[in-house]
Amino acid sequence: MKAALIENLITAHCSGDERRFADALQELVEDETKKGNTPTAARLRKAYTQKRDSPQSSEPRYFFNSSALSSTPTMAAPRDKDSLLELYEVLRPSVSLDDVVLPDSQKQALAQFIVEQEQAETLLKHNIPPANRILLCGPPGCGKTMTAMAISNALHLPMAYVRLDGLVSSYLGQTSTNLRKVFDSVRSQRVVLFLDEFDAIAKKRDDAHELGELKRVVTTLLQNFDNLPANVILLAATNHEQLLDPAIWRRFNFTLRLTPPSLPQRKQLIEKELAKYHVGSKVNATTLAKITDGMSGARIDELIREAAKSCLLKGSISTPDIVKLLIKQQTHFSESSDDSMREICRLLDSGVSLRTAASALGISHSTLEYRVQKYRGMKHDG
């Protein structure tokens, strides 16, 4: 250990300034990590956090590198020693929070989170750690990754997008090592660390079907969470929140459960997408919002994007054209009349007029009415 670092640590301790002591200890930990003395660095961090967790300590628990709050990140991703794959990808997201369609309560939570991060230095001066961890839950396509990227952009910070193909190793103990490499790499940076498909490394440790290796990975993950400095913003996303280890939940400041957009949100999203792709005014956003009930934001975006391509190639597009496109997508372009009629009945029940549906199919509305009545009668008799 460098004598100067030890001297700084002792001086900080004698001054009684907890923040100065944490900074000095962080410098010592980083120096040991650079030398390859990872076990020593881990013991130093653990000793500090244990001291602050002790019943005798009335101080709030946090660990941070204050110099990193205003520093420019200089990131080089670590690699898996066997595959040589980088453990994360450094991104500069351009997605805005205005592009994310969320309920007002979740927007307010994100706004509070961003304000705390922007005022982190003020909070830390009063020994109050800013919120720096969010867990995003929800089904595929509901906007978890998009929300994470929007947070990164709002804070004007790079994102370290963890690559699970490099992180998870088939070699015993290597996944835990890779996980430590990731956290050690970002510890002195001002950065957003994003763990997508989080359940892959944070599953319940009481699952009898899981090997001991995964349980060690979860333990390693929890230890690194506990030692995470305030200058790192950690975002995690999962489609399977029921699989997460119970100890994971309390490590996050906020948990946002993202769901398929509501009717007003779908209309807002559709209008925004129509304007983005410059689709003509013959499209009724209210009708489209009704017939996309239950669809994720990603599916709706895909629908409007396909409509935009059709509009560009044909010169114009109307609501019936998009209804026809939706029927094809929902039935996976199947020629089965049963699949098509089931989807058509769903659209009619969602508020699409018989005339609009008939126009989409290229048949008269009386013919469609007959087919619908026949199909529903058969289903009722069956």
Side-chain angles (χ1 to χ4, degrees):
M1 295 184 184
K2 290 183 180 179
L5 296 178
I6 297 293
E7 183 179 352
N8 288 342
L9 191 67
I10 295 172
T11 302
H13 170 71
C14 293
S15 71
D17 187 333
E18 187 68 26
R19 180 181 177 185
R20 184 178 173 186
F21 179 81
D23 283 347
L25 179 58
Q26 178 67 15
E27 289 183 34
L28 184 59
V29 167
E30 288 173 11
D31 183 65
E32 290 301 304
T33 301
K34 289 176 183 177
K35 292 176 181 176
N37 299 332
T38 305
T40 301
R43 286 197 300 272
L44 289 170
R45 281 197 297 267
K46 185 176 181 181
Y48 179 71
T49 53
Q50 281 181 338
K51 174 259 180 186
R52 296 179 67 79
D53 276 345
S54 65
Q56 290 78 20
S57 175
S58 60
E59 293 286 339
R61 178 172 182 259
Y62 62 90
F63 192 68
F64 64 93
N65 183 347
S66 60
S67 62
L69 291 173
S70 57
S71 65
T72 302
T74 54
M75 302 179 66
R79 295 175 182 269
D80 177 80
K81 75 171 187 176
D82 297 301
S83 67
L84 298 182
L85 289 173
E86 291 187 338
L87 299 182
Y88 57 73
E89 181 180 1
V90 180
L91 304 177
R92 296 277 180 174
S94 59
V95 179
S96 166
L97 280 172
D98 292 334
D99 297 327
V100 182
V101 178
L102 295 172
D104 288 341
S105 59
Q106 293 184 348
K107 285 185 176 180
Q108 291 169 6
L110 289 180
Q112 173 66 23
F113 182 86
I114 290 167
V115 167
E116 289 190 27
Q117 279 298 319
E118 290 175 339
Q119 301 296 323
E121 289 191 78
T122 301
L123 292 172
L124 290 170
K125 285 178 181 177
H126 292 83
N127 287 338
I128 302 175
N132 67 333
R133 307 172 198 178
I134 296 180
L135 176 62
L136 302 165
C137 306
C142 65
K144 298 184 294 297
T145 300
M146 187 178 185
T147 300
M149 290 190 172
I151 293 171
S152 177
N153 182 38
L155 292 170
H156 307 290
L157 294 176
M159 170 183 282
Y161 193 124
V162 175
R163 299 173 59 92
L164 286 180
D165 56 349
L167 181 70
V168 179
S169 173
S170 59
Y171 292 95
L172 187 66
Q174 188 59 38
T175 301
S176 294
T177 299
N178 286 344
L179 200 55
R180 283 192 291 271
K181 284 182 180 179
V182 167
F183 278 88
D184 286 342
S185 173
V186 301
R187 192 171 300 280
S188 61
Q189 306 285 343
R190 180 68 168 140
V191 65
V192 173
L193 178 62
F194 182 45
L195 303 174
D196 202 2
E197 300 179 58
F198 185 53
D199 49 276
I201 56 173
K203 284 185 180 179
K204 294 177 181 177
R205 286 170 289 181
D206 60 0
D207 189 340
H209 300 289
E210 294 296 347
L211 301 174
E213 167 65 5
L214 182 59
K215 296 176 182 180
R216 286 191 289 273
V217 169
V218 176
T219 300
T220 300
L221 182 68
L222 293 172
Q223 290 172 346
N224 280 281
F225 268 41
D226 290 342
N227 295 325
L228 187 73
N231 47 276
V232 178
I233 294 91
L234 190 146
L235 308 177
T238 178
N239 300 335
H240 307 288
E241 59 184 278
Q242 73 280 2
L243 299 180
L244 297 182
D245 190 274
I248 289 290
W249 293 94
R250 65 183 180 85
R251 262 72 178 190
F252 290 94
N253 305 114
F254 296 105
T255 296
L256 300 184
R257 287 185 172 86
L258 279 59
T259 58
S262 63
L263 178 61
Q265 290 169 351
R266 293 197 302 276
K267 184 179 179 182
Q268 177 189 348
L269 178 59
I270 289 168
E271 288 174 340
K272 186 176 295 185
E273 295 300 304
L274 290 172
K276 181 171 75 175
Y277 295 120
H278 306 290
V279 176
S281 58
K282 294 182 180 179
V283 177
N284 189 319
T286 301
T287 298
L288 294 183
K290 290 179 180 178
I291 66 176
T292 52
D293 183 29
M295 290 176 59
S296 67
R299 288 285 309 281
I300 293 172
D301 180 59
E302 180 185 354
L303 174 66
I304 303 302
R305 186 167 58 250
E306 289 300 313
K309 286 195 287 187
S310 180
C311 180
L312 182 63
L313 296 174
K314 294 179 180 179
S316 65
I317 196 167
S318 62
T319 301
D321 294 327
I322 300 182
V323 172
K324 185 175 182 178
L325 180 60
L326 178 60
I327 293 172
K328 289 181 178 180
Q329 289 185 350
Q330 293 292 84
T331 58
H332 306 289
F333 296 87
S334 169
E335 295 296 329
S336 167
S337 59
D338 193 65
D339 288 343
S340 296
M341 289 307 302
R342 182 170 57 252
E343 180 60 19
I344 289 166
C345 289
R346 186 193 72 81
L347 294 176
L348 292 174
D349 292 340
S350 298
V352 175
S353 70
L354 195 64
R355 194 172 297 277
T356 297
S359 176
L361 297 172
I363 60 178
S364 68
H365 73 279
S366 58
T367 299
L368 180 59
E369 183 177 22
Y370 169 75
R371 291 182 182 178
V372 168
Q373 289 177 349
K374 181 180 178 181
Y375 174 80
R376 284 181 165 163
M378 290 172 56
K379 290 298 176 183
H380 181 266
D381 294 337

